[in-house]
Amino acid sequence: MTTRTCPCGLPGSYDACCGRFHSGSAAAPTAEALMRSRYTAFVKGDTGYLLRTWHPRTRPEGLDLDPGTRWTGLEIVEAADGSAFHAKGTVTFRASYRGGSMCERSRFERVDGAWVYVDGDFLD
């Protein structure tokens, strides 16, 4: 990954990819796009975006991210539903960090038309 590519693993620049979601100039059109943008928010330490894109019924009051965690890559294992034609979707992913990785099946729903993260199950 170069400094010009988005941390989510897609070939575009951060500004053209997840950065536009973080800035609020666009909304993630699919559950997978939201999941990728949330991974990138973890990379960037953007707790505001993470909280804004969390379902109101499951959102914590705050987040305390570990500044020592260095995220190194994202792999989408499977995505089900979560398109413009769905109200719910799931995305299974593996996120790597310096020293390990974690795998989660995340659930997403639309709230007022926007995709939000509901919760997830760790698979490892």
Side-chain angles (χ1 to χ4, degrees), residues 33-113:
L34 180 65
M35 202 246 79
R36 286 179 178 278
S37 70
R38 286 177 56 83
Y39 168 82
T40 299
F42 275 100
V43 171
K44 301 273 188 182
D46 188 344
T47 57
Y49 181 78
L50 292 167
L51 291 169
R52 282 192 311 276
T53 58
W54 211 308
H55 198 292
R57 78 171 181 263
T58 59
R59 179 188 309 133
E61 290 199 23
L63 288 176
D64 186 22
L65 301 181
D66 180 354
T69 301
R70 297 292 176 248
W71 296 100
T72 59
L74 175 67
E75 172 193 0
I76 302 299
V77 176
E78 179 182 30
D81 298 330
S83 77
F85 303 104
H86 298 105
K88 295 181 179 184
T90 61
V91 180
T92 303
F93 67 93
R94 179 172 305 285
S96 300
Y97 53 89
R98 192 173 295 149
S101 68
M102 50 91 58
C103 189
E104 180 179 312
R105 179 173 298 115
S106 296
R107 285 177 284 284
F108 298 87
E109 292 179 9
R110 286 183 184 268
V111 172
D112 297 329

Side-chain angles (χ1 to χ4, degrees), residues 7-21:
C8 80
L10 293 178
S13 70
Y14 167 73
D15 289 339
C17 193
C18 293
R20 62 197 172 111
F21 305 140

